[in-house]
Amino acid sequence: MDTSCSYIEMLDINATPIPQSSVPKLREVEQEYLTIDDDPYEELLDWTLSAAQNTACLHPLLDFHPPSFFDRLPTEMIIMIFSFLDFPEANLLEVNDGPWVLTQVCRSWREIVKHCPLFWIHANLDLSCWHYTRNRLNRADMLVMIFLERSKEIPLNVQIHCPDVQGASNHILDAVAHLLNASPRWKTAVLDLPYSVYHEISPRVNGKLALLECLTLRLDLPHKIPRNSLSVIEAFQLAPKLRQVSIEGTPYATKNIRLPWEQLTHLNAYHDYPNPNYHCLRLSSNLVECHIGAHGDLLQSPRGNYSSVSLPNLTRLFVEGTGALVLPYVFAPNTEVLHITNTLPGACSEECIEAVQEFISECSESLKDLALHSDPLDYRVAEILYATPELVNLSLRLTLPKGSSLFEDLLKWLSYRDVSNSNSFNSSTTCLLGLLPRLTNLSMHIEPSSPDETAFDVMALVQMLVSRRNMPRISESHHRFRQLESFNLEVKGSLWKAESRVLDTLNEIGLRTSMRSLQ
C-alpha cells in the first residue's frame, strides 16, 4: 500500500468505523424511531393508555434531539470532508489547533479523528515559545506521545523548530526525544536546530532513516567559533530513499555535512561564496532540479582551475546572486528551465558573462523557460534570444541606462512582421518573421538607471503585443508561430503612465494582461 496517496484514495483501507460499543443505546433508538416520516412519535403511542402514561414512556426520547446531518453520514464520507482541512503547519503543542480541535467537538468526531491516522501525519513540534508552555496542564512530552500513538505506523512529515534549548525543561527535551525515536517513520523532515544539537541527535537517527525522502536543514551556527573548526554532521549520511535536500545556514555544505550526494535529484543550497555551490554540483551528478545562490566572489581554487561538471539529467536550474559564477564550469545540455536572478552590476566579469551566455547556448534546443533578472546580462539580451528559439516562457528584468535604446530594440525584435511572398501567385500570402516564435507567456520588469528618466513609448509596446496576438491567425506559417497568451509588466518610477485605453486594447484582442507601477 502506498502510504503517500491521498486521503480519498485511502478511504476504503484506513477508514475506521466508530466502534459499536461506543454508541449509546439511546442513539440507536433515535436512529430507529426519530427518523420516521411525518410525526416521529406516531407509531410509538399506545392509544389504550392515558396521555400522562404515553408522555412518561416517551420521556427518555424527548430529552434527545434528532441526529444531525453529520451524524447520518458514513464514517468514510466524514473523513473525506475532514481531509480538506490542512494541518501541515499546525503546532502539535497547541491543543486548539490542528487535529486536536476536531476531537473537542463531540464524541462522534473524536472517535473518528482519533482512530484515523491520516490526520496525525504532520508532526510539527515548534519549541520557539516553549517557555510559555511551562505551566500548562498539557505536557509537551505527553502530547507528542499521544500524537505519535494516533499516527500508528504510517510515515510522518516531521518539523522540529528549536532555536534555543538552554534552560528547557525535561518535558521539552523528552518531547524532542520522542520524535527522534520515531525517525524510522520519517518521510520528510524539516529541522531548525542549533548546530551543536545535530551532533547530539546523530546516535538516535543515524542509520534509521530508511523512509526519508526529503530533508531540510536550517543550521544556527555558534558564535565566536571559527567556521573551519566546525565538526562534521554525520546523522544523515545513510538514507537510501533521500532525493531532495535543502540546506540553509551552513558555510560549506560538502565539508560540514555528510550526505548521499550521488542519489540526490533535488538540491537547494545558498552559501556565502559560490565555491561550495560548485562542489555540491560536482558531487550531485544525478540532479534533476537545483537551486543555488551566493553573494560573494568565486575564490581561487588551491588545486588549480576548476574542472567541468556534467549534469546530464538536470532540467530545472535556479541561480541567485553570484551563484551564476559557477555556470562556466557546468555542462547541462538538457536544461528546460533556467532562472538567473539578483546578479548585481560588476558581480560578473566579461569572461564570466560570455561563459554564461555559452551555457545558455548549449541548452538552447531544450530551453523552454528563461528568466533573466541580471544586470550584467542586459546588453546581451538580443544574442541570448537569438540563441533560444524554443522558449515558451520569458521573464526579463531590465535596467535602462539613460539614452539607451535597449527597450525599443527589444520591442522590434519581439514584434511579428509579415513579409509578402513575391514568388507566390497570390501576393497576399503572409509569412512571419520575429524572434521566439513559440513564446506564449512574457513578463517584463523595467526600471530606470536614473530618477529623471522619461517615459517610454507605450504604443510601441502595444503594437508588439498586438502583432504577437493577431498575426498567427492570418499567417499561413501559423504552424511555427504561437499566439501570445499572457503579458505581465512591472515598471518602477515614472517610466509608465498607465492608461485605460491600453488595457482596453489588449483586452479586446483576448490577451491576459497585468500591469502595475512600482514606486
Coordinates of all heavy atoms in Angstrom, one line a residue, residues 155-228:
P155 N 4.0 6.7 7.6 CA 5.2 7.6 7.5 C 4.7 9.0 8.0 O 3.6 9.4 7.8 CB 5.5 7.6 6.0 CG 5.1 6.3 5.5 CD 3.8 6.0 6.3
L156 N 5.7 9.8 8.6 CA 5.4 11.1 9.1 C 6.1 12.2 8.4 O 7.2 12.0 7.8 CB 5.9 11.1 10.6 CG 5.3 10.2 11.6 CD1 6.0 10.2 12.9 CD2 3.8 10.5 11.8
N157 N 5.5 13.3 8.4 CA 6.1 14.6 7.9 C 6.5 15.4 9.2 O 5.6 15.9 9.8 CB 5.2 15.4 7.0 CG 4.8 14.6 5.8 OD1 5.6 13.9 5.2 ND2 3.5 14.7 5.4
V158 N 7.7 15.5 9.5 CA 8.2 16.0 10.8 C 8.8 17.4 10.6 O 9.6 17.6 9.6 CB 9.2 15.0 11.4 CG1 9.8 15.6 12.7 CG2 8.6 13.7 11.7
Q159 N 8.5 18.3 11.5 CA 9.2 19.5 11.6 C 9.5 19.8 13.1 O 8.7 19.6 14.0 CB 8.3 20.7 11.1 CG 7.9 20.6 9.7 CD 7.2 21.9 9.2 OE1 7.6 23.0 9.5 NE2 6.1 21.7 8.5
I160 N 10.8 20.1 13.3 CA 11.3 20.4 14.7 C 11.9 21.8 14.7 O 13.0 21.9 14.0 CB 12.2 19.3 15.2 CG1 11.6 17.9 15.2 CG2 12.6 19.7 16.6 CD1 12.5 16.8 15.7
H161 N 11.3 22.7 15.3 CA 11.9 24.1 15.4 C 12.3 24.3 16.9 O 11.4 24.4 17.8 CB 10.8 25.1 15.0 CG 10.3 24.9 13.6 ND1 11.0 25.4 12.5 CD2 9.3 24.3 13.1 CE1 10.3 25.1 11.4 NE2 9.3 24.4 11.8
C162 N 13.6 24.4 17.1 CA 14.1 24.5 18.5 C 15.3 25.4 18.4 O 16.4 25.0 18.5 CB 14.4 23.1 19.1 SG 14.9 23.2 20.8
P163 N 15.1 26.7 18.3 CA 16.2 27.7 18.2 C 17.0 27.8 19.4 O 18.2 28.2 19.3 CB 15.5 29.0 17.8 CG 14.1 28.9 18.4 CD 13.8 27.4 18.2
D164 N 16.5 27.5 20.6 CA 17.2 27.6 21.8 C 16.8 26.6 22.8 O 15.6 26.5 23.2 CB 17.0 29.0 22.4 CG 17.8 29.3 23.7 OD1 18.7 28.5 23.9 OD2 17.5 30.2 24.4
V165 N 17.8 25.7 23.2 CA 17.5 24.7 24.2 C 18.0 25.0 25.6 O 17.9 24.2 26.5 CB 18.0 23.3 23.7 CG1 17.4 22.9 22.4 CG2 19.5 23.4 23.5
Q166 N 18.6 26.1 25.7 CA 19.2 26.5 27.0 C 18.0 26.7 28.0 O 17.1 27.5 27.8 CB 20.0 27.7 26.9 CG 21.2 27.6 26.0 CD 22.2 26.6 26.6 OE1 22.4 26.4 27.8 NE2 22.9 25.9 25.7
G167 N 18.1 25.9 29.1 CA 17.1 26.1 30.2 C 15.8 25.4 29.9 O 14.8 25.5 30.6
A168 N 15.7 24.6 28.8 CA 14.5 23.9 28.5 C 14.2 22.8 29.6 O 15.1 22.2 30.1 CB 14.6 23.2 27.1
S169 N 12.9 22.6 29.9 CA 12.6 21.6 30.9 C 12.7 20.2 30.3 O 12.9 20.0 29.1 CB 11.1 21.8 31.3 OG 10.2 21.6 30.2
N170 N 12.7 19.2 31.3 CA 12.8 17.8 30.8 C 11.7 17.4 30.0 O 11.8 16.6 29.1 CB 12.9 16.9 32.1 CG 14.2 17.1 32.8 OD1 15.3 17.5 32.2 ND2 14.2 16.9 34.1
H171 N 10.5 18.0 30.2 CA 9.3 17.7 29.4 C 9.6 18.1 27.9 O 9.2 17.3 27.0 CB 8.1 18.4 29.9 CG 7.7 18.0 31.3 ND1 6.9 18.7 32.1 CD2 8.1 16.9 32.0 CE1 6.7 18.1 33.2 NE2 7.4 17.0 33.2
I172 N 10.2 19.2 27.7 CA 10.5 19.7 26.4 C 11.5 18.8 25.7 O 11.4 18.4 24.5 CB 11.0 21.1 26.4 CG1 9.9 22.1 26.9 CG2 11.5 21.6 25.0 CD1 8.7 22.2 26.0
L173 N 12.6 18.5 26.4 CA 13.7 17.6 25.9 C 13.1 16.2 25.6 O 13.5 15.6 24.6 CB 14.8 17.5 26.8 CG 15.5 18.9 27.1 CD1 16.6 18.7 28.2 CD2 16.1 19.5 25.9
D174 N 12.2 15.7 26.4 CA 11.6 14.4 26.2 C 10.7 14.4 24.9 O 10.6 13.4 24.2 CB 10.8 14.0 27.4 CG 11.7 13.6 28.6 OD1 12.9 13.4 28.4 OD2 11.1 13.5 29.7
A175 N 10.0 15.6 24.7 CA 9.2 15.7 23.5 C 10.0 15.6 22.2 O 9.7 14.9 21.3 CB 8.4 17.0 23.5
V176 N 11.2 16.2 22.2 CA 12.1 16.1 21.1 C 12.6 14.7 20.9 O 12.7 14.1 19.8 CB 13.3 17.1 21.2 CG1 14.2 16.9 20.1 CG2 12.8 18.5 21.3
A177 N 12.9 14.1 22.1 CA 13.4 12.7 22.0 C 12.4 11.7 21.4 O 12.8 10.8 20.7 CB 13.8 12.3 23.4
H178 N 11.1 11.9 21.8 CA 10.1 11.0 21.2 C 10.0 11.1 19.7 O 9.9 10.1 19.0 CB 8.7 11.4 21.8 CG 8.6 11.1 23.3 ND1 9.2 10.0 23.9 CD2 8.0 11.8 24.3 CE1 8.9 10.0 25.2 NE2 8.2 11.0 25.5
L179 N 10.1 12.3 19.2 CA 10.1 12.5 17.7 C 11.4 11.9 17.1 O 11.3 11.3 16.0 CB 10.0 14.0 17.3 CG 8.6 14.5 17.2 CD1 8.6 16.0 16.7 CD2 7.7 13.7 16.2
L180 N 12.5 12.0 17.7 CA 13.7 11.5 17.2 C 13.7 9.9 17.2 O 14.2 9.3 16.3 CB 14.9 11.9 18.0 CG 15.2 13.5 17.9 CD1 16.4 13.8 18.8 CD2 15.5 13.9 16.5
N181 N 13.0 9.4 18.2 CA 12.9 7.9 18.3 C 12.0 7.4 17.2 O 12.0 6.2 16.9 CB 12.4 7.5 19.7 CG 13.4 7.7 20.8 OD1 14.6 7.8 20.5 ND2 12.9 7.9 22.0
A182 N 11.1 8.3 16.6 CA 10.3 7.9 15.5 C 10.9 8.1 14.2 O 10.2 8.0 13.2 CB 8.9 8.7 15.6
S183 N 12.2 8.4 14.1 CA 12.9 8.6 12.9 C 12.8 7.5 11.8 O 12.8 7.8 10.6 CB 14.4 9.0 13.1 OG 15.0 7.9 13.8
P184 N 12.6 6.2 12.2 CA 12.4 5.2 11.2 C 11.1 5.5 10.3 O 11.0 4.9 9.3 CB 12.3 3.9 12.0 CG 13.1 4.2 13.2 CD 12.8 5.6 13.5
R185 N 10.2 6.3 10.8 CA 9.0 6.6 10.1 C 9.0 7.9 9.4 O 8.0 8.3 8.8 CB 7.8 6.6 11.1 CG 7.5 5.2 11.7 CD 6.6 5.3 12.9 NE 5.4 6.0 12.5 CZ 4.6 6.6 13.4 NH1 4.8 6.5 14.7 NH2 3.5 7.2 13.0
W186 N 10.1 8.7 9.5 CA 10.2 10.0 8.8 C 10.2 9.8 7.3 O 11.0 9.1 6.8 CB 11.5 10.7 9.2 CG 11.5 11.2 10.7 CD1 10.6 11.0 11.6 CD2 12.5 12.0 11.3 NE1 11.0 11.6 12.8 CE2 12.2 12.2 12.6 CE3 13.7 12.5 10.8 CZ2 12.9 12.9 13.5 CZ3 14.5 13.2 11.7 CH2 14.1 13.4 13.0
K187 N 9.3 10.5 6.7 CA 9.2 10.6 5.2 C 9.8 11.9 4.8 O 10.6 12.0 3.8 CB 7.8 10.4 4.7 CG 7.7 10.4 3.2 CD 6.3 10.2 2.7 CE 6.2 10.2 1.2 NZ 4.8 10.0 0.7
T188 N 9.4 13.0 5.4 CA 10.0 14.3 5.2 C 10.4 14.9 6.5 O 9.7 14.7 7.5 CB 9.0 15.3 4.5 OG1 7.9 15.6 5.3 CG2 8.5 14.7 3.2
A189 N 11.5 15.7 6.6 CA 11.9 16.3 7.8 C 12.4 17.7 7.6 O 13.2 17.9 6.7 CB 13.0 15.4 8.4
V190 N 12.0 18.6 8.4 CA 12.5 20.0 8.4 C 13.0 20.2 9.8 O 12.3 20.2 10.8 CB 11.3 21.0 8.1 CG1 11.9 22.4 8.2 CG2 10.7 20.7 6.7
L191 N 14.3 20.4 9.9 CA 15.0 20.5 11.2 C 15.6 21.9 11.3 O 16.5 22.3 10.5 CB 16.0 19.4 11.4 CG 15.6 18.0 11.2 CD1 16.7 17.0 11.4 CD2 14.4 17.7 12.2
D192 N 15.1 22.7 12.3 CA 15.7 24.0 12.6 C 16.3 24.0 13.9 O 15.6 24.2 14.9 CB 14.5 25.0 12.4 CG 15.0 26.5 12.6 OD1 16.2 26.7 12.8 OD2 14.2 27.4 12.5
L193 N 17.5 23.7 14.0 CA 18.2 23.4 15.3 C 19.5 24.1 15.4 O 20.2 24.4 14.4 CB 18.4 21.9 15.5 CG 17.2 21.0 15.4 CD1 17.6 19.5 15.4 CD2 16.2 21.3 16.6
P194 N 20.0 24.4 16.6 CA 21.4 24.9 16.7 C 22.4 23.9 16.2 O 22.1 22.6 16.3 CB 21.5 25.1 18.3 CG 20.1 25.2 18.8 CD 19.3 24.4 17.9
Y195 N 23.5 24.3 15.7 CA 24.5 23.5 15.1 C 24.9 22.3 16.0 O 25.1 21.2 15.6 CB 25.7 24.3 14.6 CG 26.6 23.6 13.6 CD1 26.4 23.7 12.3 CD2 27.6 22.8 14.1 CE1 27.2 23.1 11.4 CE2 28.4 22.1 13.2 CZ 28.2 22.3 11.8 OH 29.0 21.6 10.9
S196 N 25.1 22.6 17.3 CA 25.6 21.6 18.2 C 24.6 20.5 18.5 O 25.0 19.4 18.8 CB 26.0 22.3 19.6 OG 24.8 23.0 20.1
V197 N 23.3 20.8 18.3 CA 22.3 19.8 18.6 C 22.4 18.7 17.6 O 22.0 17.5 17.9 CB 20.9 20.5 18.6 CG1 19.8 19.4 18.8 CG2 20.9 21.5 19.8
Y198 N 22.8 18.9 16.4 CA 22.8 17.9 15.3 C 23.7 16.8 15.7 O 23.5 15.6 15.4 CB 23.2 18.5 14.0 CG 22.1 19.3 13.3 CD1 22.1 20.7 13.4 CD2 21.1 18.7 12.6 CE1 21.1 21.4 12.8 CE2 20.1 19.4 12.0 CZ 20.1 20.8 12.1 OH 19.1 21.5 11.5
H199 N 24.8 17.1 16.4 CA 25.7 16.0 16.9 C 25.1 15.2 18.0 O 25.4 14.0 18.1 CB 27.0 16.6 17.3 CG 27.7 17.4 16.2 ND1 28.4 16.8 15.2 CD2 27.7 18.7 16.0 CE1 28.9 17.7 14.4 NE2 28.4 18.9 14.8
E200 N 24.2 15.8 18.8 CA 23.6 15.1 19.9 C 22.5 14.1 19.3 O 22.2 13.1 20.0 CB 23.0 16.0 20.9 CG 24.0 16.9 21.5 CD 23.4 17.9 22.5 OE1 22.2 17.8 22.7 OE2 24.1 18.8 23.0
I201 N 21.9 14.5 18.2 CA 20.8 13.6 17.7 C 21.4 12.5 16.8 O 20.6 11.6 16.4 CB 19.8 14.4 16.9 CG1 20.4 15.0 15.6 CG2 19.3 15.6 17.8 CD1 19.3 15.7 14.8
S202 N 22.6 12.6 16.4 CA 23.2 11.6 15.5 C 23.0 10.2 15.9 O 22.6 9.3 15.1 CB 24.7 11.9 15.2 OG 24.8 13.1 14.5
P203 N 23.3 9.8 17.2 CA 23.1 8.4 17.6 C 21.7 8.0 17.5 O 21.4 6.8 17.4 CB 23.6 8.5 19.1 CG 24.5 9.6 19.2 CD 23.9 10.7 18.3
R204 N 20.7 8.9 17.6 CA 19.3 8.5 17.5 C 18.8 8.2 16.1 O 17.8 7.5 15.9 CB 18.4 9.5 18.2 CG 18.7 9.7 19.7 CD 17.8 10.7 20.3 NE 17.9 10.9 21.7 CZ 17.3 10.2 22.7 NH1 16.4 9.3 22.3 NH2 17.5 10.4 24.0
V205 N 19.3 8.9 15.1 CA 18.8 8.9 13.8 C 19.7 8.3 12.8 O 19.3 7.8 11.7 CB 18.3 10.3 13.3 CG1 17.3 10.9 14.3 CG2 19.5 11.2 13.1
N206 N 21.0 8.2 13.1 CA 22.0 7.7 12.1 C 21.7 6.2 11.8 O 21.6 5.4 12.6 CB 23.4 7.9 12.6 CG 24.4 7.7 11.5 OD1 24.1 7.6 10.3 ND2 25.7 7.6 11.9
G207 N 21.5 6.0 10.5 CA 21.2 4.6 10.0 C 19.8 4.2 10.2 O 19.5 3.0 9.9
K208 N 18.9 5.1 10.6 CA 17.5 4.7 10.9 C 16.5 5.4 9.9 O 15.3 5.3 10.1 CB 17.1 5.0 12.3 CG 18.0 4.3 13.3 CD 17.6 4.7 14.8 CE 18.5 4.0 15.8 NZ 18.2 4.4 17.2
L209 N 17.0 6.1 9.0 CA 16.2 6.9 8.1 C 15.9 6.2 6.8 O 16.1 6.7 5.7 CB 16.9 8.3 7.8 CG 17.3 9.1 9.0 CD1 18.2 10.3 8.6 CD2 16.1 9.5 9.8
A210 N 15.3 5.0 6.9 CA 15.0 4.2 5.8 C 14.0 4.7 4.9 O 13.9 4.5 3.7 CB 14.6 2.8 6.2
L211 N 13.0 5.6 5.4 CA 11.9 6.1 4.6 C 12.1 7.6 4.2 O 11.3 8.1 3.4 CB 10.6 6.0 5.4 CG 10.2 4.6 5.8 CD1 8.8 4.6 6.5 CD2 10.1 3.6 4.6
L212 N 13.2 8.2 4.7 CA 13.3 9.6 4.5 C 13.6 9.9 3.0 O 14.5 9.4 2.3 CB 14.5 10.1 5.3 CG 14.7 11.7 5.3 CD1 13.5 12.4 5.9 CD2 16.0 12.0 6.0
E213 N 12.7 10.8 2.4 CA 12.8 11.2 1.0 C 13.2 12.7 0.8 O 13.8 13.0 -0.2 CB 11.5 11.0 0.3 CG 11.0 9.5 0.3 CD 9.7 9.3 -0.3 OE1 9.1 10.3 -0.8 OE2 9.2 8.2 -0.4
C214 N 12.8 13.5 1.8 CA 13.0 15.0 1.7 C 13.5 15.5 3.0 O 12.9 15.3 4.0 CB 11.7 15.7 1.3 SG 11.9 17.5 1.0
L215 N 14.6 16.3 2.9 CA 15.3 16.8 4.1 C 15.6 18.3 4.0 O 16.2 18.7 3.0 CB 16.6 16.0 4.4 CG 17.5 16.5 5.6 CD1 16.7 16.3 6.9 CD2 18.8 15.7 5.6
T216 N 15.2 19.0 5.0 CA 15.6 20.5 5.1 C 16.3 20.7 6.3 O 15.8 20.4 7.4 CB 14.3 21.4 5.0 OG1 13.6 21.1 3.8 CG2 14.7 22.8 5.1
L217 N 17.5 21.3 6.2 CA 18.4 21.6 7.4 C 18.6 23.1 7.5 O 19.0 23.7 6.6 CB 19.7 20.9 7.3 CG 19.7 19.3 7.2 CD1 21.1 18.8 7.0 CD2 19.0 18.7 8.4
R218 N 18.2 23.6 8.6 CA 18.5 25.0 8.9 C 19.4 25.0 10.2 O 19.0 24.6 11.2 CB 17.2 25.8 9.2 CG 16.2 25.8 8.0 CD 14.9 26.3 8.4 NE 13.9 26.2 7.2 CZ 12.6 26.2 7.3 NH1 12.1 26.3 8.5 NH2 11.9 26.2 6.3
L219 N 20.6 25.5 10.0 CA 21.6 25.5 11.0 C 21.9 26.8 11.6 O 22.1 27.8 10.8 CB 22.9 24.9 10.4 CG 22.8 23.5 9.8 CD1 22.6 23.6 8.3 CD2 24.1 22.7 10.1
D220 N 21.8 26.9 12.9 CA 22.1 28.1 13.6 C 23.6 28.0 14.1 O 23.8 27.3 15.1 CB 21.2 28.3 14.8 CG 21.4 29.7 15.5 OD1 22.2 30.5 15.0 OD2 20.8 29.9 16.5
L221 N 24.5 28.7 13.4 CA 25.9 28.5 13.7 C 26.3 29.1 15.1 O 25.8 30.2 15.5 CB 26.8 29.1 12.6 CG 26.7 28.5 11.2 CD1 27.6 29.3 10.3 CD2 27.1 27.1 11.3
P222 N 27.2 28.5 15.8 CA 27.6 29.0 17.1 C 28.4 30.3 16.9 O 29.1 30.4 15.9 CB 28.4 27.9 17.7 CG 28.9 27.1 16.6 CD 27.8 27.2 15.5
H223 N 28.3 31.2 17.9 CA 29.0 32.4 17.8 C 30.5 32.2 18.3 O 30.8 31.4 19.1 CB 28.4 33.5 18.7 CG 27.0 33.8 18.3 ND1 26.7 34.5 17.2 CD2 25.8 33.5 18.9 CE1 25.4 34.6 17.1 NE2 24.8 34.0 18.1
K224 N 31.4 33.0 17.7 CA 32.8 33.1 18.1 C 33.5 31.7 17.9 O 34.4 31.4 18.7 CB 32.9 33.6 19.5 CG 32.3 35.0 19.8 CD 32.5 35.4 21.2 CE 31.9 36.8 21.4 NZ 32.1 37.2 22.9
I225 N 33.0 31.0 17.0 CA 33.7 29.7 16.7 C 34.1 29.7 15.2 O 33.3 29.9 14.3 CB 32.8 28.5 16.9 CG1 32.5 28.4 18.4 CG2 33.5 27.2 16.5 CD1 31.6 27.2 18.8
P226 N 35.4 29.6 14.9 CA 35.9 29.6 13.5 C 35.2 28.5 12.7 O 34.9 27.4 13.1 CB 37.4 29.3 13.6 CG 37.7 29.6 15.0 CD 36.5 29.4 15.9
R227 N 34.8 29.0 11.5 CA 34.0 28.0 10.7 C 34.8 26.8 10.3 O 34.2 25.7 10.0 CB 33.5 28.8 9.4 CG 32.5 29.9 9.7 CD 32.0 30.5 8.5 NE 30.9 31.5 8.8 CZ 30.2 32.1 7.9 NH1 30.5 32.0 6.6 NH2 29.3 33.0 8.2
N228 N 36.1 26.9 10.2 CA 36.9 25.8 9.8 C 37.0 24.8 10.9 O 37.4 23.6 10.7 CB 38.3 26.3 9.4 CG 38.3 27.1 8.2 OD1 37.5 27.0 7.3 ND2 39.3 28.0 8.1

